[in-house]
Every structure is written in structure tokens, then in C-alpha cells.
Amino acid sequence: MFDAIAEIIGRRSGALDVPIAQYDFDDAGVHIVVGYRYAGEEAEGFEVVTLPAAAEALVGVHLGAMDRIHESWQAVHAEILARGFVPDGPCREYYIRAELEDQADWVTELQQPVRRA
């Protein structure tokens, strides 16, 4: 999905600097928004989406390949519960370093909006 957006906006300077994904779960399944921080106008093939602000969030960092990111998310959610919070909105992944095909050195910030239980 990132590649499709990159094809459209990638020619603009700085357009691919901050990749972000938002995941929202409900009874119908998973709703995914992927893209990049972008300050330009909408164009054919994509829409500009403003992600909602979160008053509070618990943030963790995942190091390495994406095939193990579920372990980091499990740790984030265990910490949320341990601190007396509950998830409060869609979670996000901010891909700090995700440039090489080999994902061994990737760095992903995991962001989960929360509220007191």
C-alpha cells in the first residue's frame, strides 16, 4: 500500500520522509490507513486524511523485522493494562527507519491512544 502512494506523491520533495499507518479494528474487520506526512493538495489516486489527535497514548518501540511486531504490540497492551488504562482509538505505527529490504535494522514507533479504565 505504501508503494502505491509513493508512486503518486513521491516526486514531491520530502513527501516520503514520514511513513505512518493507522489500524482500527471493529466487527467488520481491520480498517487500515497508510501513507506519509503530507502538506500538499489532494490528487487523483489518494486523499489527504488528518489523523485525530489523542489526549494520551502509550508509546513503545519495535526493533527489527515486522514478522515479530505482534510481540511488541502485546508488550504495549500489557503495559497499558498494568498502568490502569484501556485502548481509546485506532493504533498507529510510525516507521522511523524502514529503508532496506532486510528489516533487521528497522525501527517502528507503536502508538496506542489510551484513557483511564
Side-chain angles (χ1 to χ4, degrees), residues 25 63 81 91 94 108:
F25 304 87
L63 303 173
L81 297 175
C91 62
Y94 166 36
T108 307

Side-chain angles (χ1 to χ4, degrees), residues 5 12 22 24 28 50 55 61 64 72 86 94 101 109 114:
I5 293 297
R12 293 172 175 89
Q22 176 177 272
D24 196 8
T50 301
V61 175
S72 297
V86 293
Y94 166 36
E101 195 69 30
E109 184 176 280
V114 296

Side-chain angles (χ1 to χ4, degrees), residues 6-86:
E7 283 290 318
I8 297 168
I9 67 171
R11 294 176 296 280
R12 293 172 175 89
S13 178
L16 303 178
D17 291 347
V18 182
I20 301 171
Q22 176 177 272
Y23 302 90
D24 196 8
F25 304 87
D26 64 19
D27 292 339
V30 179
H31 304 276
I32 304 170
V33 175
V34 299
Y36 299 86
R37 183 175 60 201
Y38 180 74
E41 297 294 320
E42 286 188 16
E44 187 174 330
F46 76 96
E47 66 180 292
V48 174
V49 175
T50 301
L51 298 179
E56 293 184 274
L58 194 127
V59 177
V61 175
H62 173 73
L63 303 173
M66 300 308 284
D67 65 350
R68 301 194 61 168
I69 198 166
H70 66 281
E71 296 169 7
S72 297
W73 272 116
Q74 288 172 346
V76 165
H77 283 276
E79 190 64 26
I80 287 170
L81 297 175
R83 292 183 184 202
F85 289 94
V86 293

